[in-house]
């Protein structure tokens, strides 16, 4: 679908570094017919030669353009259970809530209903890239890839592999089944998006307790042979860590289990990383594997508090993951908030250096996530040559609106706030009502009802 050359005029904000957010007041960004950024101008809303006939989209009402969010870990199939976890912890939560739900994706109508909803909702929260766990079902996993492509969300789509310690009704029968099904899902994406431009398949061993050494080794081989990325869980909960020790007595650590299977590489995303030892973090760094930090889920399932600042200071690459439905929200904005608050609880015992700032949380939500998924050259910020994966944020003003009607966002701007304060208000009090439009690779993929662009 051909895109219209467009100039985005107004304030744009993105992360300049882990600790600094760059605010360019009244700038302009040109996006070509290929969906890529052709120019970025600070301090001027002038449109350059050759762009005078381009479509113009302006920020509205104290608004700004911000890079699309990157959710580095979300279970699309678990979306119907968001908010449902009771007082459970990981291992009983899986058996009580998760496996029964995931097993229902043998029904494609059910899968279509849930997957359409989760893609629409994550887009509405500004998530332009998502790393999805689907289920063990090949047709439903392929349908998720189709839906992401049709709705225009950049996505990593993984068929879940699990050949033990799972119920009889929801388990791979053999190593061959797991590998063959994974191959079928890779082949499907190669058919619908041969260059993996928007959709990328991802090899997905669920986690070490539900995978035999044989299946992990076979998936490690597939990972090395195809170059297709890999995602899994690691060191989320203490009982899980004890179980891994018992199941893999030969291995020096949980991290070594994946490394010995050939699953720990620069293209591996490890979710949680709550209870990692120093040696494990060093091994992850040596392999350049990536971390998805999932604070909402870690709190909900009382898994623990990941030491994010420690991991960052040691040079690990970290992004944010909602981990629906261990996490209750599919909003990365909410996840950023959770990350900040969990870090403050850590700081109460470990000291102030454990605290994440608003700037750091926004970095994790964008640039950090881009590095986690290996797309830092394409997404995460506004530079010439990058894809226009962006959201338009509106901070509705009570003054301007007179009354807060249903279309007004919840962020209250009284006038006179610094940009730093506006961004903080967005992070702490904003939600999807503030995300008025969303683009992926230049294509409009979501806009709020009634919005005139
Ligand atoms: N570990 C293995 N499976 C899962 C899952 O579905 N969610 C979370 N949070 N952890 C897991
Ligand atoms: Fe998870």
């Amino acid at each position: 679908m051909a895109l219209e050359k467009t100039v985005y005029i107004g304030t744009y904000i993105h992360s300049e570094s882990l600790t600094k957010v760059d605010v360019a007041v009244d700038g302009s960004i040109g996006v070509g017919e290929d969906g890529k950024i052709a120019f970025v101008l600070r301090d001027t809303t002038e449109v350059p030669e050759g762009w005078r006939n381009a479509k113009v989209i302006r920020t509205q009402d104290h608004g700004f353009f911000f890079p699309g969010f990157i959710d580095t870990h979300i279970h699309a199939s678990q979306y119907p259970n968001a908010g449902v976890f009771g007082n459970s912890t990981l291992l009983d939560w899986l058996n009580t809530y998760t496996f029964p739900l995931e097993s229902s994706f043998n029904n494609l109508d059910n899968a279509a209903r849930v997957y359409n909803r989760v893609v629409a909702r994550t887009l509405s929260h500004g998530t332009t890239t998502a790393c999805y766990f689907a289920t063990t079902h090949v047709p439903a996993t392929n349908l998720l890839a189709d839906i992401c492509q049709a709705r225009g969300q950049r996505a990593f789509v993984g068929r879940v592999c699990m050949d033990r310690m799972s119920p009889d009704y929801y388990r791979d029968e053999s190593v061959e089944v797991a590998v063959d099904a994974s191959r079928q899902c890779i082949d499907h994406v190669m058919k619908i998006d041969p260059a993996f431009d928007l959709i990328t398949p991802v090899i997905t061993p669920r986690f070490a307790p539900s995978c035999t050494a044989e299946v992990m080794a076979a998936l490690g081989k597939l990972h090395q042979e195809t170059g297709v990325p890999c995602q899994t869980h690691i060191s989320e909960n203490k009982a899980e860590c004890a179980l891994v020790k018992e199941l893999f007595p030969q291995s020096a650590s949980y991290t070594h289990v994946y490394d010995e299977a050939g699953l720990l590489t620069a293209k591996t995303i490890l979710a949680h990383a709550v209870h990692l030892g120093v040696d494990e973090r060093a091994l992850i760094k040596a392999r350049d594997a990536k971390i998805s930090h999932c604070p909402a889920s870690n709190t909900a399932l009382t898994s623990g508090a990941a030491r994010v600042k420690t991991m960052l200071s040691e040079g690990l690459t970290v992004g944010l993951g909602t981990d629906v439905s261990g996490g209750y929200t599919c909003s990365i904005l909410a996840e950023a908030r959770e990350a900040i608050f969990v870090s403050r609880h850590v700081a109460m015992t470990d000291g102030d250096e454990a605290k994440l700032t608003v700037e750091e949380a926004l970095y994790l939500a964008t640039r950090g996530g881009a590095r986690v998924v290996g797309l830092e050259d394409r997404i995460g910020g506004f530079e010439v040559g990058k894809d226009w994966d962006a959201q338009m944020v509106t901070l509705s003003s009570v003054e301007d609106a007179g009354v807060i009607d249903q279309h007004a966002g919840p962020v209250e701007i009284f006038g006179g706030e610094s940009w730093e304060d506006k961004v903080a208000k967005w992070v702490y009090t904003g939600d999807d009502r503030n995300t008025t439009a969303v683009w992926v690779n230049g294509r409009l993929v979501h806009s709020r009802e009634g919005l005139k662009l």
Side-chain angles (χ1 to χ4, degrees):
M1 205 186 324
L3 296 168
E4 207 175 337
K5 245 166 105 169
T6 305
V7 185
Y8 295 87
I9 294 181
T11 298
Y12 66 87
I13 300 179
H14 61 168
S15 289
E16 188 175 303
S17 66
L18 177 61
T19 53
K20 189 164 186 305
V21 163
D22 176 34
V23 180
V25 179
D26 292 334
S28 62
I29 299 178
V31 177
E33 288 162 358
D34 57 359
K36 293 190 188 304
I37 298 175
F39 68 84
V40 180
L41 297 175
R42 301 181 72 88
D43 310 322
T44 178
T45 56
E46 282 279 306
V47 176
E49 267 314 315
W51 287 78
R52 302 269 150 80
N53 294 326
K55 182 180 166 82
V56 170
I57 293 179
R58 291 176 194 276
T59 52
Q60 300 171 9
D61 188 22
H62 303 279
F64 55 91
F65 296 109
F66 195 82
F69 289 134
I70 298 160
D71 188 342
T72 60
H73 184 82
I74 171 168
H75 298 261
S77 53
Q78 296 174 18
Y79 187 59
N81 270 356
V84 180
F85 51 90
N87 263 339
S88 61
T89 52
L90 178 63
L91 300 176
D92 56 308
W93 169 80
L94 283 171
N95 285 310
T96 309
Y97 299 98
T98 307
F99 295 147
L101 172 62
E102 288 191 18
S103 69
S104 71
F105 283 66
N106 60 349
N107 177 327
L108 261 190
D109 290 339
N110 182 42
R113 205 164 46 86
V114 174
Y115 286 159
N116 269 300
R117 185 90 71 95
V118 72
V119 175
R121 288 297 288 143
T122 51
L123 283 172
S124 75
H125 283 282
T127 297
T128 48
T129 299
C131 297
Y132 287 120
F133 278 55
T135 61
T136 62
H137 312 96
V138 172
T141 302
N142 291 343
L143 180 66
L144 175 58
D146 294 344
I147 288 169
C148 292
Q149 189 181 49
R151 289 185 176 267
Q153 187 174 52
R154 199 181 295 286
F156 290 73
V157 178
R159 183 271 178 195
V160 176
C161 297
M162 43 199 280
D163 69 335
R164 71 158 165 201
M165 297 195 79
S166 326
D168 291 342
Y169 64 82
Y170 188 52
R171 177 194 304 185
D172 289 327
E173 278 159 30
S174 66
V175 174
E176 291 70 34
V177 166
V179 174
D180 184 59
S182 300
R183 275 193 193 280
Q184 287 183 50
C185 292
I186 295 170
D187 289 346
H188 179 73
V189 180
M190 287 176 79
K191 218 165 50 204
I192 64 167
D193 189 1
F196 299 166
D197 188 43
L198 195 71
I199 314 296
T200 306
V202 46
I203 293 165
T204 306
R206 180 168 212 118
F207 70 155
S210 52
C211 294
T212 57
E214 291 73 33
V215 92
M216 284 193 283
L219 293 173
K221 223 170 113 208
L222 188 65
H223 175 52
Q224 311 266 347
E225 173 197 315
T226 57
V228 163
C230 166
Q231 61 180 357
T232 188
H233 299 86
I234 196 165
S235 201
E236 174 176 358
N237 154 296
K238 283 194 176 148
E240 169 211 8
C241 294
L243 185 56
V244 171
K245 221 177 204 160
E246 194 183 308
L247 293 168
F248 299 89
Q250 261 49 290
S251 299
S253 73
Y254 198 155
T255 305
H256 282 83
V257 171
Y258 290 141
D259 193 44
E260 286 151 12
L263 286 167
L264 195 71
T265 75
K267 287 186 162 187
T268 300
I269 303 172
L270 303 164
H272 301 284
V274 176
H275 303 287
L276 291 177
V278 183
D279 293 353
E280 294 186 271
R281 298 199 299 269
L283 180 57
I284 289 168
K285 172 140 169 52
R287 298 286 182 265
D288 197 20
K290 313 299 194 281
I291 304 290
S292 174
H293 175 44
C294 307
S297 168
N298 294 340
T299 301
L301 299 181
T302 47
S303 300
R307 267 42 184 185
V308 182
K309 285 297 284 271
T310 303
M311 290 194 273
L312 288 169
S313 69
E314 291 174 354
L316 298 191
T317 305
V318 184
L320 294 180
T322 59
D323 193 30
V324 165
S325 64
Y328 61 86
T329 177
C330 71
S331 157
I332 285 289
L333 188 69
E335 201 67 38
R337 200 145 64 219
E338 293 284 350
I340 293 170
F341 280 108
V342 166
S343 79
R344 271 141 214 265
H345 277 281
V346 174
M348 290 180 220
T349 53
D350 291 10
D352 272 359
E353 61 283 358
K355 277 190 203 177
L356 276 176
T357 61
V358 164
E359 289 80 5
E360 287 166 333
L362 289 176
Y363 176 93
L364 297 181
T366 55
R367 301 251 191 217
R371 291 181 63 200
V372 166
V373 303
L375 293 178
E376 63 272 29
D377 294 338
R378 288 188 63 181
I379 57 175
F382 299 140
E383 284 89 31
V384 171
K386 284 207 165 78
D387 294 3
W388 181 248
D389 280 27
Q391 52 186 313
M392 186 159 85
V393 177
T394 301
L395 305 178
S396 286
S397 153
V398 248
E399 257 174 7
D400 290 354
V403 290
I404 305 174
D405 67 17
Q406 58 173 337
H407 294 296
V411 174
E412 292 187 4
I413 296 295
F414 293 93
E417 288 93 341
S418 64
W419 274 104
E420 189 185 349
D421 288 348
K422 285 181 183 172
V423 170
K425 282 190 171 193
W426 176 49
V427 169
Y428 288 121
T429 74
D431 60 34
D432 56 326
R433 286 169 292 180
N434 298 105
T435 293
T436 45
V438 181
W439 297 265
V440 174
N441 203 12
R443 173 180 166 192
L444 182 70
V445 290
H446 168 77
S447 62
R448 265 182 70 71
E449 207 184 318
L451 179 76
K452 296 220 170 25
L453 287 174

